[in-house]
Amino acid sequence: VINPYITYLKLCLPIPDGAPEIKSPLSVYFRDLKIALMRECENALEGLCMAMKGGHNAESHNHNDIGQLYLYKDGKPVIVDMGAMTYTKKTFSSERYTIMAMRSLYHSTVTPAGVEQLPGKSSTSSDESFDEQARSVSMQLKTAYPPEAGLVDLTRRVTLSDGAVTVNDTVAFEEESTVDIHFLTYDAPSENPDGSL
């Protein structure tokens, strides 16, 4: 039996140098939690390892983070979650979602038309698809955002293949609009000679 929380924890914590080899499954999809995990190697200290989170924004200790992406390379964090701040009275008050760490704007998610995700069970992913053979996961994310975002479609598909993770976001609006796609990285990105990051 695979414990989803232990597997998720193994992915989301940096692995210290000199740690023993950790054998993990190459692909896991937790249907109830809407969390997909994929890695290149059984040894968590080697290769790429990614996760994507769906679900809804009324989960225990929730952050508004539907569609959040995590990426590790050789056991080291690349795309991360900033985590929670030190708990205070505000953390458990009506002001909870004014805290940076709880808002979708500060996660590796999409911000359509400048609109962030809202808390609550109605802010959710749908049409989740996990293809173990293709090493791909996709989710419809438009219902994670309120109607003022004007979304017709917001689908995120993430694929792990040939030593790379590809993120394909399909966004369609009722009217012309803008979209920001952001990734929270552990280290500052650096530019390659070809201009890519």
Side-chain angles (χ1 to χ4, degrees):
V1 176
I2 298 169
N3 183 320
Y5 294 104
I6 298 298
T7 305
Y8 190 61
L9 188 63
K10 283 198 291 188
L11 175 76
C12 296
L13 294 177
I15 298 170
D17 291 332
E21 182 177 313
I22 300 170
K23 294 280 190 181
S24 297
L26 293 178
S27 298
V28 179
Y29 182 63
F30 303 107
R31 198 165 307 285
D32 292 343
L33 297 172
K34 310 282 194 262
I35 294 174
L37 299 148
M38 294 181 285
R39 64 180 79 242
E40 289 183 299
C41 307
E42 286 184 336
N43 180 355
L45 298 173
E46 296 177 5
L48 295 172
C49 179
M50 63 76 54
M52 184 171 146
K53 177 190 177 298
H56 60 80
N57 282 337
E59 294 163 344
S60 179
H61 294 275
N62 181 67
H63 296 190
N64 291 339
D65 60 353
I66 304 303
Q68 166 79 16
L69 177 70
Y70 305 86
L71 177 64
Y72 277 59
K73 182 177 181 184
D74 298 329
K76 303 296 181 195
V78 179
I79 297 175
V80 298
D81 184 303
M82 72 167 43
M85 317 293 251
T86 301
Y87 287 157
T88 65
K89 182 179 175 182
K90 184 176 180 179
T91 308
F92 301 100
S93 75
S94 60
E95 296 179 56
R96 176 179 178 82
Y97 295 102
T98 65
I99 299 171
M100 186 169 58
M102 310 300 176
R103 297 172 54 191
S104 61
L105 185 61
Y106 299 98
H107 286 83
S108 297
T109 58
V110 178
T111 304
V115 176
E116 293 185 54
Q117 295 179 18
L118 294 178
K121 200 159 188 173
S122 62
S123 295
T124 184
S125 64
S126 62
D127 300 327
E128 297 87 357
S129 173
F130 180 68
D131 187 332
E132 190 168 358
Q133 296 299 319
R135 316 271 293 151
S136 178
V137 59
S138 69
M139 299 179 186
Q140 175 58 252
L141 307 175
K142 70 180 177 183
T143 51
Y145 298 85
E148 54 264 32
L151 287 166
V152 173
D153 181 26
L154 200 173
T155 302
R156 172 164 277 188
R157 176 179 301 282
V158 182
T159 304
L160 174 60
S161 178
D162 299 325
V165 172
T166 303
V167 181
N168 184 333
D169 290 326
T170 303
V171 185
F173 294 97
E174 295 168 359
E175 299 177 1
E176 186 174 333
S177 191
T178 61
V179 63
D180 292 315
I181 300 169
H182 29 93
F183 296 100
L184 187 64
T185 60
Y186 187 78
D187 292 315
S190 57
E191 190 170 336
N192 295 318
D194 66 0
S196 65
L197 294 180

